Structures are given as structure tokens and as C-alpha cells.
């Protein structure tokens, strides 16, 4: 079945570039140039991925992303932004974006991100169909349910984004093993582009803020200075 990608981008040149690349990947591209009309098209259904600009007329990208995440079902969101500050990236991720690209970006990088998101969607579908029989992991008050994708700390449920959950599950499934940022990009994001290792730092910081009693002195996800990160052994 052909996948359908909704592109919400008000810059005609960038929108057309993304549309052409999506088509070259064998997917159907739907291009909208306003946040409100783009959200309306999403609500009509049949969308498998949303590529979403941050700055949009009608309704900004953060608001669109928030509305998408409040809808039933899971559709991955790749956010595009001309801004490159840490705050802008964190806001996008906090609203539920699965990944982001800072303009200008290369066609090859865009293609890699799209493919990686769909690989993860396919893996989730296989798990839901019984393709992944991995059981829960429970350690020191932290419980991770991989089938229902739920996390509990001291019996209290913690809301994680899809990428935060994948990162935590990867760590917990390899307790004590040290991963570099590049290795985490390959394993969890499905790509590794030089210069994007700060993406890992951002997600780990946000994950720690949600699961650690003291994020400044983490118990579960630990820093190995000069090397990377590991889950407690």
C-alpha cells in the first residue's frame, strides 16, 4: 500500500522540494501551505507521516503538532524549522514531534529521516501484531511495558514521547552497555549524520527530567564522560 505524506510548508520552494523527494521515494505527497488547512486535511484521515514547518500562517506548527498528538492513533511528525536554538527544538519535541530538521537541509538527509521514521512505524506495527514478544523490564522502581509503550516510576505513569520511549527501551534492553551518541543515533533514530549528535543530548536531558528523581545526578541513564551514556547495571 502506498504511504501518504502530508507536507505543511508555506515556502513554495521548500514545499515543492519536499514534495518531489517524497514522490521519488514512491509515496503520495499532499502539500498544504497553511497550518489550519493542513490540520483540516490531516483530520480527513489517511495520512501516514506529517512533515510540518514550525512557522506557518493560520496556525503555527507547534499548535498543529499538539492537535495531531491529541488525535487518536499514532502518526509520526517530522518538524522543519528555520530556527536552530535549543529552545525551538525542545518546544517542538515537547509538543510531540518525533524528529526535526533545521533549514537548510540536504535532500539525502530528508530522505534518511523519512525512511527512519517509517522503519520505526513498521517495527511498532510488528510489535502490535505480536511480532515482538519482549516482556516488561522492571528495575529499581522503573517499569517499562514495551507492548503498551507505557512507563511507570514508583507506580506513577510517566508520559514519554515516542522517541523518548524508544531511547529508554534501547538503554534498558542493554543494561550496563555504553553507547556513544553516534551509536544511539543509528540504533534509535535509524540514521547518523555528523553534527546531529546534539539531538541525542536533547532527548536524554528531557528523558531524565521525566524519570529521574534528581536529573542532575541521574540514577537510571548515566553519563560515561568522554564516551557516551549507559543504563544502570
Amino acid at each position: 500500500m502506498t504511504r501518504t505524506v502530508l507536507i505543511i510548508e508555506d515556502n513554495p520552494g521548500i514545499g515543492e522540494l519536499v514534495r518531489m523527494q517524497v514522490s521519488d521515494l514512491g509515496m503520495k505527497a499532499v502539500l498544504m501551505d497553511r497550518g489550519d488547512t493542513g490540520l483540516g486535511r490531516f483530520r480527513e484521515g489517511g495520512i501516514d507521516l506529517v512533515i510540518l514547518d514550525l512557522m506557518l500562517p493560520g496556525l503555527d506548527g507547534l499548535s498543529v503538532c499538539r492537535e495531531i498528538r491529541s488525535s487518536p492513533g499514532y502518526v509520526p511528525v517530522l518538524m522543519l524549522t528555520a530556527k536552530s536554538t535549543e529552545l525551538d527544538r525542545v518546544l517542538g519535541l515537547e509538543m510531540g514531534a518525533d524528529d526535526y530538521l533545521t533549514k537548510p537541509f540536504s535532500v539525502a538527509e530528508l530522505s534518511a529521516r523519512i525512511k527512519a521514521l517509517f522503519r520505526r512505524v513498521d517495527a511498532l506495527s510488528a510489535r502490535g501484531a505480536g511480532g515482538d514478544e519482549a516482556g516488561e523490564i522492571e528495575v529499581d522502581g522503573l517499569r517499562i511495558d514495551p507492548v503498551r509503550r507505557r512507563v511507570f516510576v514508583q507506580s506513577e505513569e510517566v508520559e514519554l514521547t515516542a522517541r523518548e520511549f524508544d531511547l529508554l527501551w534501547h538503554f534498558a534492553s542493554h543494561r550496563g552497555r555504553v553507547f556513544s551518541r553516534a551509536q544511539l543515533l543509528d540504533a534509535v533514530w535509524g540514521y547518523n549524520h555528523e553534527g546531529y549528535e546534539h539531538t541525542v543530548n536533547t532527548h536524554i536531558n528531557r528523558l531524565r527530567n521525566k524519570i529521574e528523581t534528581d536529573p542532575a545526578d541521574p540514577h537510571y541513564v548515566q553519563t560515561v564522560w568522554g564516551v557516551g551514556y549507559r543504563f544502570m547495571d
Side-chain angles (χ1 to χ4, degrees):
M1 182 180 295
T2 302
R3 302 184 194 266
T4 300
V5 179
L6 174 61
I7 305 158
I8 311 178
E9 168 62 66
D10 66 324
N11 182 301
I14 295 177
E16 182 60 19
L17 175 67
V18 176
R19 187 198 66 76
M20 292 175 59
Q21 184 59 24
V22 167
S23 298
D24 287 346
L25 291 173
M27 304 171 189
K28 179 182 178 181
V30 178
L31 177 58
M32 310 294 288
D33 62 1
R34 290 178 57 90
D36 48 1
T37 55
L39 180 59
R41 175 60 186 88
F42 172 81
R43 287 172 171 165
E44 292 176 10
I47 300 300
D48 300 297
L49 168 67
V50 178
I51 300 178
L52 176 64
D53 187 25
L54 179 63
M55 304 299 292
L56 291 166
L59 192 66
D60 66 86
L62 292 177
S63 298
V64 173
C65 189
R66 185 188 299 111
E67 291 297 321
I68 290 173
R69 280 293 165 261
S70 68
S71 303
Y74 167 69
V75 175
V77 175
L78 173 61
M79 186 163 280
L80 306 179
T81 174
K83 299 181 179 180
S84 58
T85 67
E86 185 77 7
L87 177 60
D88 291 314
R89 294 195 297 269
V90 169
L91 283 174
L93 297 170
E94 193 63 45
M95 289 301 103
D98 296 273
D99 207 349
Y100 68 90
L101 271 175
T102 301
K103 303 173 187 175
F105 51 83
S106 69
V107 170
E109 186 175 3
L110 173 64
S111 177
R113 302 295 183 96
I114 293 172
K115 291 177 180 178
L117 284 170
F118 277 127
R119 281 197 299 271
R120 187 161 62 83
V121 167
D122 291 341
L124 291 174
S125 298
R127 179 179 297 158
D132 187 343
E133 299 299 328
E136 293 185 357
I137 291 177
E138 187 165 2
V139 55
D140 281 6
L142 174 68
R143 179 163 66 89
I144 311 170
D145 180 346
V147 176
R148 296 172 181 82
R149 296 180 66 81
R150 301 175 69 184
V151 174
F152 301 84
V153 178
Q154 305 302 334
S155 300
E156 294 291 329
E157 185 166 7
V158 177
E159 295 292 335
L160 300 183
T161 66
R163 191 73 74 182
E164 289 165 359
F165 182 92
D166 290 342
L167 184 61
L168 178 60
W169 179 254
H170 184 72
F171 273 128
S173 299
H174 303 85
R175 290 183 60 181
R177 178 177 171 182
V178 180
F179 293 96
S180 69
R181 294 171 182 81
Q183 289 172 326
L184 290 170
L185 276 173
D186 281 331
V188 179
W189 278 258
Y191 61 81
N192 182 8
H193 287 286
E194 185 177 356
Y196 278 84
E197 294 183 2
H198 57 262
T199 300
V200 176
N201 298 351
T202 299
H203 278 77
I204 287 179
N205 288 339
R206 294 174 66 248
L207 178 61
R208 283 172 169 169
N209 285 333
K210 294 181 179 182
I211 68 171
E212 302 283 1
T213 301
D214 181 4
D217 184 21
H219 177 64
Y220 300 115
V221 180
Q222 303 169 348
T223 299
V224 181
W225 297 106
V227 183
Y229 302 94
R230 69 180 176 194
F231 193 81
M232 60 170 295
D233 192 357

